[in-house]
Amino acid sequence: MTNPNPMKMLLLALVLSVAGICTGSSAHAQTSLIQNAPGHRVLSLNGSWNYIIDPYENGFYDYRREAFDKSASGKGGYYDNQKPSNAQETELIEYDFDHSPALQIPGDWNSQDPKLLYYEGTVWFKKSFTLVPKAGKRYFLYFGAINYESHIYLNGKKLGMHKGGFTPIQYDITSQLSATGDNFVVVKADNTRHAEEVPTINTDWWNYGGITRDVFVAETPETFIVDFKVQLAKNDPTKLMGYVQLDGAGKASQTVTLNIAEAGIKQTLKTDADGHAAFSLPAKKLKLWSPLSPKLYAVSFSNGTETVQDRIGFRTIQTQGQDILLNGKSIFMRGISIHDENPLIPGRARSEGDLRMLLTWAKELGCNYVRLAHYPHNETMLKLADEMGLLVWAEVPVYWTIAWQNPATYQNAEIQLSDLISMGKNRASVVVWSVGNETPLSDPRLKFMTSLVKKARALDDTRLIAAALELHRTPDFVIHVDDQLGEFLDLTSFNEYVGWYWGGSPSEISKYKFDIKYNKPVVISEFGGDALAGYHGTAETRWSEEYQESLYVNQIKLLSTIQGLRGMTPWILADFRATRRQHPVYQNGFNRKGLISSTGVKKKAFYVLQEYYRQQAAKYDTGK
Ligand code: GCB
C-alpha cells in the first residue's frame, strides 16, 4: 500500500461512496486497515451475542420504509437497544435484545440455529461491553468479517456501513465510547444476494450469514503505527524493502526504529509530512522462508510511544519461462483448494483450531501449497500458512457472472482486492494474488479483469498475479486454453472438469489433449469429481469413491502431458455445503468433490493424490 496523501484519500472517499462500500460519518469512515490489528487487541468481543431475526427489516425502516438512521432524530431502530425508562414500563417497545437468544461469535448463523440454515436477510446482533477509555489513547472497533452488508452502531450512533463478506471492518470509536465504561454495539448483518455485488447472486458455496470472524477493540496511542510492510525487493534476496505509516496528529517527522534483531538489522526511519517512511536496506544474511524451512523473524517497529511486532518470513517468487522459482529454485506447487469451512460443523471455520485442522490435512496430503478459494480467508489462516510452510493462492470473490459494466461493482471488487493485499502483504506464504474465477468471456469482462490485474500489480509487484481462466474444447477432444486474460497473468491456470462435467466416465479422460497458448508455468486451479464417502462401486459408478479415485488417476496422467505443468490445486480438500447440490442420496446439500468427507473420512482419491505428491516432492524438493 502506498502513502495515503490527502488527494488520494479524497479520491478514495469519493470512490467508496460511489461504490457504497464503507460509509459513515467522516469521522468514522474506514481508513487504512490496521496492520496486524490483533497485536493491538485490548478487549475481545467474541462470545455470546444476542440476536433478532428481522426479514422485513422492521428494526431499520419505519412503516413508510424510511430508514430510522436517516431520520432527523436518528432514533427508532433496533440499534437504540431501547429499554423501558420507567418502572411501569409504559412505553411500547417491540423488541428486547436481552431476552432474545444468543449466538456464538465468531460463527455463521446458519450452522447455529436450524431456523437459519437457508436464511438470507437481516439479523441484528447486540453485545454489551465494559471499557473505560484511557486518556491519550485511541480505540478501534474491529470485525474480521461480516457477511455481506453490515450497518454498525455503537451506543445508538451509527459508525458506518460496509459491504463485502470476507474482509476486515474497522472504526475509530474513541469519541463514541461512554465515559462510564458501559457500551453496547449493535450490528445489522444482511446476507441478501444481489446481482451487482461481489460475489454476485450465483455461486457454488453456502451463503453463510453473520459475524463470521473475530471481533475486538484495539487500543493505540494517539499517534500510532497503523501500517507497515517488510518484504524482500522484487526478485532480489539481498534487499529488504518496505515502509511504515503512522496515523494521528503527531505523525509527521517522527523517528521510527525497525528492528529484526536475529538478522542484525536495526534501522532508524524518519516519517515525512504524511507520517510515511519508506526504506530499502541490504539484507544479505537473512535465512529465506520456504515450505521446507518456514523461517520467520521477529520484526518490530517502535516510535517511542509504542512497539508493534510481527513474525515475518522472507523469500522471492518469480517465473522464468515455464518455471516458478522460489528463492531462485524451480518448484512444483503441490496444492489443494480449500473453502473457509469446517466440514465437521459444518459451517464457516470459527477458530484457529478449525483452520489448523484444514492445513494439517493439506500437509498430510503432501501439499506445499493451498488455494484459498474463492474469497479472502481469515488472516489467521495466512499466519498459519507462514508458520506451517504452505504457499498460498489468495483470491477475491470475482466469480462467474459479475456485473462487468457496473462501475460500482468494479470499485467494490477493487476495494476487496486492496483489503486482501493489505491483509496479506507481510505473509511470505502468499505468493499468488488471484483476481477471479471462471469468468465468462466478453470485452467488458476483459476490461474489468485487466484493471484488477493492474491494480494488484500496482499494490504489490513482488507476487504473481493469476486467475482461473476460461477454456473451451473442440469435437476433436482438444482443450483450448487461449482466454485473452491469460496474456496479462503470470501463471496459466484453469479449471478443467474432464471426466465429470465433460465425458461420461474417468476412462474418457485419456482421449483429451491440451492446446495452451501461453508459454508460462501451468498451475491447474481445479479438477475433480464428487464421491460420497463409503459409497462403493466400479470406476464407472458415478458418486462412488472408485469413480473419484479413477478420475484422479486419469487426470494426473492427462495433466502430466503438459510440458509446463508446475502445480495444481484439485477441487477440493473437504466436502462443503452448496445449495446447488440437490441430489437427495449422494449430495444432500453438499458438494462432494472433497478428498475428505463431511465427517472427516479420507476417500480413496486422497491417497492417489498423496502418492503423486510424494513422487513430485522427491523430484523437486531434492533439486533433481
Ligand atoms: C468450479 C468452481 C467451483 C465449484 C466447482 C464444482 O469450477 O470454481 O467453485 O465448486 O467447479 O464443483 O463444480
Side-chain angles (χ1 to χ4, degrees):
M1 304 284 284
T2 47
N3 189 359
N5 67 47
M7 196 55 207
K8 262 185 69 186
M9 292 307 282
L10 200 73
L11 271 172
L12 182 69
L14 206 69
V15 157
L16 289 173
S17 60
V18 169
I21 302 303
C22 187
T23 57
S25 62
S26 55
H28 305 291
Q30 180 151 327
T31 52
S32 243
L33 286 172
I34 300 177
Q35 192 58 213
N36 198 12
H40 291 276
R41 176 167 32 214
V42 69
L43 180 70
S44 168
L45 298 184
N46 288 348
S48 255
W49 287 58
N50 296 100
Y51 70 103
I52 299 171
I53 307 168
D54 187 17
Y56 280 42
E57 301 179 291
N58 294 319
F60 193 70
Y61 295 111
D62 69 13
Y63 80 127
R64 297 298 185 219
R65 196 82 186 159
E66 301 287 339
F68 289 116
D69 67 15
K70 295 216 173 84
S71 69
S73 71
K75 297 239 164 271
Y78 288 179
Y79 50 84
D80 291 338
N81 186 27
Q82 206 189 339
K83 305 279 168 214
S85 58
N86 55 30
Q88 293 80 18
E89 300 198 2
T90 53
E91 288 132 300
L92 173 63
I93 307 172
E94 293 188 273
Y95 68 98
D96 179 356
F97 276 111
D98 294 327
H99 289 92
S100 295
L103 286 180
Q104 285 304 305
I105 300 299
D108 63 82
W109 62 54
N110 317 67
S111 62
Q112 297 191 61
D113 177 346
K115 281 198 299 295
L116 295 175
L117 178 60
Y118 286 94
Y119 182 72
E120 295 186 314
T122 285
V123 174
W124 293 86
F125 292 91
K126 196 260 338 181
K127 179 137 188 114
S128 299
F129 64 95
T130 308
L131 181 73
V132 183
K134 294 187 207 134
K137 296 285 185 193
R138 288 168 72 184
Y139 295 88
F140 292 83
L141 179 59
Y142 190 96
F143 295 83
I146 302 174
N147 192 35
Y148 172 82
E149 178 176 317
S150 54
H151 295 250
I152 300 174
Y153 305 82
L154 181 70
N155 299 329
K157 294 242 171 61
K158 189 161 192 166
L159 297 175
M161 184 275 276
H162 179 269
K163 286 181 175 188
F166 304 97
T167 43
I169 304 160
Q170 122 206 331
Y171 294 105
D172 184 343
I173 56 168
T174 315
S175 61
Q176 220 81 321
L177 285 167
S178 92
T180 62
D182 292 333
N183 299 284
F184 64 93
V185 55
V186 172
V187 174
K188 175 186 188 290
D190 181 358
N191 69 339
T192 307
R193 289 168 296 123
H194 297 282
E196 313 264 291
E197 296 298 330
V198 184
T200 179
I201 35 181
N202 199 18
T203 67
D204 187 28
W205 67 82
W206 207 264
N207 183 22
Y208 289 113
I211 306 172
T212 55
R213 294 184 187 155
D214 288 344
V215 191
F216 56 87
V217 179
E219 182 188 85
T220 74
E222 288 274 11
T223 295
F224 74 104
I225 297 163
V226 65
D227 194 14
F228 57 86
K229 180 176 180 182
V230 193
Q231 291 279 279
L232 289 178
K234 187 178 169 74
N235 306 341
D236 185 354
T238 67
K239 204 195 287 168
L240 210 55
M241 291 199 53
Y243 64 81
V244 61
Q245 177 67 49
L246 303 187
D247 185 293
K251 67 186 179 186
S253 309
Q254 278 233 359
T255 301
V256 182
T257 309
L258 161 68
N259 202 340
I260 312 178
E262 197 186 334
I265 293 172
K266 191 164 185 178
Q267 184 72 25
T268 304
L269 311 165
K270 193 83 176 177
T271 60
D272 64 13
D274 290 324
H276 189 82
F279 59 84
S280 167
L281 304 168
K284 293 213 177 60
K285 285 193 212 122
L286 287 175
K287 187 164 181 284
L288 300 184
W289 182 99
S290 74
L292 280 178
S293 169
K295 169 70 188 161
L296 299 176
Y297 285 89
V299 174
S300 70
F301 286 96
S302 316
N303 70 340
T305 45
E306 69 163 352
T307 298
V308 298
Q309 311 207 359
D310 203 347
R311 290 173 70 226
I312 300 183
F314 304 103
R315 51 101 197 95
T316 60
I317 188 84
Q318 67 198 103
T319 63
Q320 192 177 72
Q322 293 203 303
D323 277 327
I324 300 169
L325 306 181
L326 176 71
N327 300 326
K329 282 201 211 108
S330 176
I331 54 161
F332 188 90
M333 297 169 81
R334 309 186 305 270
I336 191 74
S337 296
I338 300 182
H339 263 302
D340 179 26
E341 179 167 323
N342 177 350
L344 307 181
I345 296 176
R348 283 265 171 264
R350 295 177 193 167
S351 64
E352 184 178 321
D354 290 358
L355 303 175
R356 213 176 259 283
M357 177 183 80
L358 297 173
L359 294 183
T360 303
W361 278 338
K363 290 290 270 192
E364 216 180 317
L365 189 57
C367 293
N368 61 4
Y369 169 50
V370 289
R371 174 182 183 217
L372 302 181
H374 282 301
Y375 38 74
H377 283 222
N378 200 317
E379 191 171 348
T380 306
M381 191 68 157
L382 306 181
K383 289 191 173 165
L384 288 176
D386 261 14
E387 178 191 311
M388 293 169 76
L390 287 158
L391 299 160
V392 168
W393 159 306
E395 188 160 302
V396 284
V398 176
Y399 182 96
W400 292 355
T401 55
I402 291 286
W404 308 116
Q405 314 226 41
N406 182 339
T409 307
Y410 177 78
Q411 293 306 336
N412 183 340
E414 193 178 281
I415 288 165
Q416 293 194 42
L417 177 69
S418 306
D419 284 351
L420 170 65
I421 293 178
S422 169
M423 194 164 75
K425 63 179 179 256
N426 285 313
R427 307 282 70 92
S429 53
V430 179
V431 289
V432 181
W433 300 124
S434 164
V435 294
N437 179 72
E438 272 185 2
T439 52
L441 306 184
S442 74
D443 287 344
R445 168 266 195 179
L446 190 65
K447 185 164 172 256
F448 188 112
M449 296 302 281
T450 52
S451 303
L452 283 183
V453 171
K454 219 166 129 196
K455 181 72 188 177
R457 291 202 195 282
L459 290 172
D460 181 6
D461 69 344
T462 70
R463 290 173 171 87
L464 309 179
I465 311 296
L469 297 173
E470 281 288 273
L471 38 72
H472 62 101
R473 63 181 165 154
T474 39
D476 54 353
F477 299 103
V478 177
I479 301 166
H480 301 272
V481 184
D482 52 10
D483 178 345
Q484 226 186 315
L485 176 59
E487 280 172 26
F488 301 85
L489 303 173
D490 297 312
L491 303 175
T492 300
S493 296
F494 50 87
N495 303 344
E496 177 269 289
Y497 280 94
V498 179
W500 189 254
Y501 296 122
W502 294 356
S505 83
S507 58
E508 286 180 38
I509 294 175
S510 60
K511 290 187 197 159
Y512 284 83
K513 279 194 180 55
F514 286 99
D515 171 24
I516 299 175
K517 183 174 169 192
Y518 305 107
N519 181 37
K520 298 182 182 186
V522 177
V523 180
I524 309 294
S525 35
E526 290 178 29
F527 71 83
D530 291 52
L532 178 65
Y535 176 59
H536 295 288
T538 70
E540 310 286 306
T541 315
R542 266 281 161 176
W543 313 108
S544 71
E545 286 198 39
E546 287 72 16
Y547 188 110
Q548 191 192 40
E549 179 186 37
S550 168
L551 186 145
Y552 268 70
V553 168
N554 286 292
Q555 275 284 354
I556 287 168
K557 269 192 212 143
L558 173 69
L559 298 176
S560 301
T561 64
I562 301 174
Q563 209 206 339
L565 185 73
R566 291 297 179 272
M568 58 180 71
T569 45
W571 194 252
I572 183 171
L573 181 67
D575 291 353
F576 60 97
R577 276 201 203 274
T579 28
R580 299 168 65 80
R581 309 302 169 175
Q582 297 281 3
H583 195 287
V585 177
Y586 304 114
Q587 294 178 307
N588 205 11
F590 281 85
N591 183 314
R592 299 276 183 208
K593 295 190 185 69
L595 294 176
I596 297 178
S597 76
S598 48
T599 55
V601 173
K602 297 187 175 84
K603 305 178 196 173
K604 286 182 147 193
F606 181 96
Y607 300 101
V608 175
L609 189 62
Q610 189 184 49
E611 173 54 23
Y612 173 64
Y613 281 169
R614 199 189 55 71
Q615 291 165 14
Q616 291 304 107
K619 219 156 113 189
Y620 279 84
D621 282 351
T622 58
K624 269 187 263 168

